[in-house]
Amino acid sequence: MAKRQKVHRTTGETIVDFLQLITTTNLNWHSILHKDAAGDAVTRVTQQQILSIYYFALFDWLIEYQKRREGIDPAILASGSAEMWALEFCDFHERTALELCSIFTTEEHMVMTYLRHHLVHGHVTAFFEHELQTFEIKAGKVVKGWSKPSDTNDRREKTTEPFGGINQTMESFFQRFVEFPAMHWANLSRVSRPRVIDDLERCVETKSTNYTDETIEAMMMLDSFRFRPEPPRVSIEELQQMRSGATYSTS
């Protein structure tokens, strides 16, 4: 068998990889997660299930980003370049993803991983014959772990039993999620619109600074965060209130 050769990615290619990870990991889920959290029963259950996939994807994104981000020397990025701005956006995503992942414990993450396997692969019991992936955040880094087959059931039951089962547990998780006042929800929808991410990717690939007005607006907003001791925060539920006509200040 021929030995696989390692593919060396340039800085620009690596940053584009990061932007594409943001698109597939975050933006694909926003429309369903931002729908009325008190909507019809089918939507609500769907949101709860997607939450488990969303968190697993966030952890996967963080692990890949943190592994490859260390290899980028900020000194090689020209001030004002598309690469510099794109990396700023990616670092912002890292901070907000870590904040979101931190609101659940390792055991709770394991329950969501359990459900994610069921939803994506269509089976759960087979995973009790193998170790189940777990995630833990230590000093701002995501660390992979494993739950032994003999422990997985016990750990899952200890987490879900107080709520009366996995469905009720996910309902509780989702409510905690939509009530959490994160800078993620206050700013990400404006700073990282799909059109902005696409435009940054285009500029990195073409080494251009011909940004759209929407991207420039997002850059100005992102730049202003540096001068705030605490970024503005809002929960998903409060976003729904804003959209329905209620006023809410993030200043």
Side-chain angles (χ1 to χ4, degrees), residues 58-115:
L58 274 183
F59 275 121
D60 267 356
W61 184 87
L62 281 166
I63 288 170
E64 184 65 21
Y65 184 70
Q66 291 180 339
K67 178 177 67 177
R68 300 175 65 187
R69 176 66 173 86
E70 293 177 353
I72 294 180
D73 181 1
I76 70 173
L77 304 180
S79 177
S81 69
E83 290 181 345
M84 185 204 78
W85 277 111
L87 202 57
E88 290 272 359
F89 277 69
C90 293
D91 286 345
F92 176 70
H93 274 266
E94 180 196 25
R95 295 194 300 274
T96 53
L98 280 170
E99 182 181 22
L100 280 175
C101 288
S102 296
I103 71 175
F104 294 104
T105 67
T106 301
E107 266 64 33
E108 290 169 338
H109 291 142
M110 193 199 72
V111 168
M112 286 193 274
T113 302
Y114 167 93
L115 181 60

Side-chain angles (χ1 to χ4, degrees), residues 121-189:
H121 301 294
H123 57 83
V124 172
T125 54
F127 279 84
F128 295 142
E129 299 174 5
H130 305 281
E131 292 180 320
L132 187 69
Q133 182 73 72
T134 63
F135 300 96
E136 189 174 359
I137 298 173
K138 292 183 178 179
K141 296 289 184 181
V142 178
V143 180
K144 275 187 178 183
W146 299 96
S147 179
K148 296 180 180 179
S150 58
D151 298 334
T152 298
N153 266 329
D154 289 341
R155 294 175 71 182
R156 178 177 59 84
E157 287 175 2
K158 285 178 181 178
T159 303
T160 60
E161 276 183 356
F163 299 101
I166 193 167
N167 292 333
Q168 294 86 344
T169 301
M170 288 307 301
E171 183 177 355
S172 173
F173 286 0
F174 186 76
Q175 193 59 40
R176 194 196 316 174
F177 174 69
V178 298
E179 290 176 350
F180 181 69
M183 64 177 180
H184 187 85
W185 305 124
N187 308 304
L188 189 65
S189 60

